[in-house]
Amino acid sequence: MKHDADVVVAGGGPVGLMLACELALADVRVVVLERLTEVDTTIKAGAINSPSAEAFYRRGMLPDLAEVQRAAVEKFSSFLRQRQAAGASGVQRPPRFAGHFAGIMLRGDLLDESDPDFESPGPASEVGLVPQEALERLLADRAAELGVALRRGVTLSGFDTDEDGVRVHTSHGSLQTGWLVGCDGGRSTVRRLAGFPFPGTDPEITGHQAIVEMSGSEKLGAGWNWTGTGTYAHGPMPGRILTVEFDGPPADREAPVTAEELQTSLRNVSGVEEVEIHKVLSATRFTDNARQVPDYRAGRVLLAGDAAHVHSPFGGQGLNLGIGDAMNLGWKLAATVHGWAPEGLLDTYTAERHPIGAWVLEWTRAQVALMRPESHARALRTVLTELTGTVAATTFFAKKISGVQHRYDLPGGHPLTGRSAPDLELADGSRLADHLRGGWGLLLDLADDEGLRGRAAGYGSRLRVLTAVCSGRPDLAGLLVRPDGCTAWAADTPDSATAPDDLDAALRRWFGAPDAAA
């Protein structure tokens, strides 16, 4: 049966668009269905972590993200100027930001940047303040450049699957495709219709996040604040507020968020009766509902992003978790579409991503527990605040939040195996990331070893081979880097006698069998 597309992606937010771009890089015909007619301008995530920044860097998007960050930094400076002009007390630029845990700020000047987990971050470490709306616009432009068919204003209403593919039914007709991926958010239609189990914990909070025009805000505390009735945040951009009340989930998640609702919540949590909200520019409700599907795949239907896991937004992990899903799934699904995927490759998507998703759920649950307006949580916050005033604790939390510790459990004993490949600076002036832009695998030969290079023969466009010199790592003989930037194999110079057999195993595990003629 002729397919209208190799893959249909339901959901045109950042996760769906990132996945579509990864598929298009690998010459997969992909159609994205998005129910909204325009980019969603609702305030959501405000930053990306290290794995996300590295992913965009490896695809050549870092300059655009740096421009977005410059605009975000200017908004923060504007927030400080407005507070000074309004007569707020104690206004000063805070120490370098290294993240937060339940609103407890981590100071960048206490970060031990000599820690090995921060090794070789490269230029990606310089970008982090990227709001979700801006990222979605950049990804939509990139998807268009890559030839992705983004169909806005189209709603998925159902689908039928068989051994040959999926028939997707929409508000604008039906599509025949080989695979369907649900990137359609926490209330995913694809997840529900496919019958994925969704176990987890029920919500206990109602949260609001908004950009508003208001008066009386000079009496609000800047940053995160805890009170006897909940938690609120003010800043780091003009008009941005966030409130958390422990009175159960909202009665109606779909109802428009009004100025009256936000004002009532902010006054209740902050105790500042003088604050008045005159206009809502962007607003959303959220809860701490925390759930995750046990398996991200059911036959020819897969899930990514919030469709596979939901949790509170504390710590800014949601967007980044979804981008990681898209990077991990994209090349594996493309390999399956093109028919060269080794047996079980697609199943490694769940095996690798599910543990990270489970960690994020636990991480956010812990933060909700710390925010509770009761004496035991207050005592624990005091202890944790003291701890995060130390270099060791700040470094521990920053490594967790930034994602630099993320590692897949892959075969091989080298310390780099399973981790994001270090952004090595090569003798010709290029960096490792420059050689990953096309979404292919890379065998980096740092020992000018003809035998090593010969083992990569027969993989064609699946794998590129690069012989280079890296003075910064004289101990390293070679790296095998997957298309998602993960190190699949590494060898130091003294290990060269056993490295080839390990390399053969890694090549076949991730890139299948070489062409017989080669």
Side-chain angles (χ1 to χ4, degrees):
M1 181 182 296
K2 183 179 180 181
H3 289 173
D4 300 299
D6 297 318
V7 179
V8 168
V9 176
V15 177
L17 291 170
M18 187 69 180
L19 175 61
C21 289
E22 288 299 291
L23 292 167
L25 270 182
D27 294 323
V28 171
R29 296 178 303 136
V30 57
V31 172
V32 178
L33 307 177
E34 170 52 51
R35 63 180 181 83
L36 299 179
T37 57
E38 301 289 343
V39 171
D40 188 0
T41 59
T42 304
I43 180 173
K44 292 182 181 176
I48 57 175
N49 67 3
S50 292
S52 295
E54 287 181 322
F56 299 129
Y57 170 43
R58 289 166 178 153
R59 299 301 184 254
M61 296 179 63
L62 208 58
D64 290 336
L65 295 179
E67 285 296 322
V68 170
Q69 178 170 267
R70 274 190 279 274
V73 170
E74 174 53 35
K75 287 183 178 180
F76 173 61
S77 299
S78 176
F79 171 69
L80 294 180
R81 290 194 297 268
Q82 286 186 14
R83 285 183 59 78
Q84 287 176 328
S89 60
V91 178
Q92 59 183 349
R93 185 172 290 274
R96 183 164 62 91
F97 181 64
H100 76 85
F101 186 79
I104 300 172
M105 293 295 110
L106 302 176
R107 292 173 43 181
D109 58 341
L110 292 177
L111 191 64
D112 179 10
E113 295 180 293
S114 68
D115 188 288
D117 284 324
F118 293 118
E119 182 183 11
S120 303
S125 64
E126 300 170 6
V127 173
L129 295 177
V130 180
Q132 183 165 326
E133 178 190 346
L135 178 59
E136 185 174 330
R137 292 186 187 279
L138 289 177
L139 286 170
D141 291 342
R142 176 171 168 79
E145 292 171 1
L146 292 170
V148 171
L150 173 56
R151 301 183 182 177
R152 291 195 174 275
V154 178
T155 303
L156 183 147
S157 56
F159 55 85
D160 305 302
T161 62
D162 58 37
E163 61 181 14
D164 296 320
V166 185
R167 188 72 177 172
V168 180
H169 309 295
T170 80
S171 56
H172 288 59
S174 297
L175 287 168
Q176 186 68 34
T177 183
W179 300 84
L180 171 63
V181 185
C183 300
D184 49 343
R187 284 162 277 183
S188 168
T189 299
V190 173
R191 183 186 65 232
R192 176 175 55 82
L193 294 178
F196 283 89
F198 205 36
T201 51
D202 294 330
E204 60 179 82
I205 69 170
T206 291
H208 297 90
Q209 184 175 204
I211 300 291
V212 301
E213 293 179 0
M214 59 183 170
S215 58
S217 62
E218 63 274 6
K219 294 189 177 181
L220 294 173
W224 287 79
N225 303 267
W226 302 273
T227 71
T229 52
T231 301
Y232 77 94
H234 180 210
M237 64 184 69
R240 188 261 184 173
I241 58 171
L242 180 147
T243 64
V244 181
E245 296 175 275
F246 288 79
D247 55 357
D252 185 357
R253 287 281 302 274
E254 300 297 330
V257 181
T258 65
E260 181 182 8
E261 178 184 347
L262 291 170
Q263 179 174 290
T264 299
S265 179
L266 185 56
R267 286 181 175 181
N268 178 50
V269 176
S270 69
V272 179
E273 293 297 326
E274 295 87 347
V275 67
E276 292 189 22
I277 295 178
H278 307 291
K279 185 177 181 180
V280 179
L281 304 179
S282 176
T284 185
R285 297 183 192 86
F286 62 87
T287 74
D288 58 326
N289 181 36
R291 300 183 180 278
Q292 183 182 27
V293 297
D295 194 323
Y296 292 4
R297 177 190 175 191
R300 289 182 171 271
V301 180
L302 301 107
L303 302 176
D306 290 349
H309 36 69
V310 295
H311 50 83
S312 75
F314 304 130
Q317 296 293 329
L319 170 64
N320 297 297
L321 187 57
I323 294 297
D325 290 348
M327 285 295 292
N328 189 285
L329 174 59
W331 71 278
K332 295 174 181 177
L333 185 53
T336 304
V337 168
H338 289 311
W340 62 258
E343 184 178 356
L345 179 66
L346 200 53
D347 293 328
T348 66
Y349 168 53
T350 294
E352 293 177 358
R353 294 303 299 171
H354 193 280
I356 296 177
W359 167 77
V360 168
L361 264 65
E362 289 294 271
W363 192 257
T364 57
R365 288 183 181 118
Q367 292 180 80
V368 171
L370 275 175
M371 289 180 178
R372 289 180 182 137
E374 48 92 14
S375 58
H376 293 81
R378 255 194 320 273
L380 193 55
R381 279 200 306 272
T382 299
V383 171
L384 198 59
T385 300
E386 293 176 0
L387 277 175
T388 54
T390 67
V391 170
T394 294
T395 302
F396 169 81
F397 279 99
K399 289 197 297 184
K400 290 284 190 179
I401 292 168
S402 67
V404 298
Q405 282 189 317
H406 287 178
R407 180 172 186 169
Y408 299 141
D409 185 15
L410 305 188
H414 196 280
L416 290 177
T417 304
R419 303 195 64 165
S420 178
D423 190 39
L424 303 175
E425 187 170 4
L426 306 179
D428 64 359
S430 67
R431 303 188 72 100
L432 183 66
D434 297 325
H435 302 280
L436 296 172
R437 291 192 178 183
W440 45 67
L442 178 70
L443 176 61
L444 182 63
D445 168 25
L446 294 173
D448 195 10
D449 187 336
E450 184 178 352
L452 201 67
R453 297 193 297 272
R455 292 177 181 267
Y459 284 95
S461 61
R462 288 176 265 171
L463 184 68
R464 291 198 170 189
V465 181
L466 175 66
T467 299
V469 174
C470 177
S471 58
R473 289 295 302 265
D475 58 312
L476 199 58
L479 286 176
L480 177 64
V481 185
R482 302 190 322 191
D484 59 355
C486 175
T487 304
W489 167 89
D492 294 332
T493 303
D495 300 329
S496 57
T498 59
D501 291 337
D502 294 338
L503 175 58
D504 282 346
L507 285 167
R508 289 180 175 272
R509 179 180 179 87
W510 301 114
F511 298 97
D515 182 77

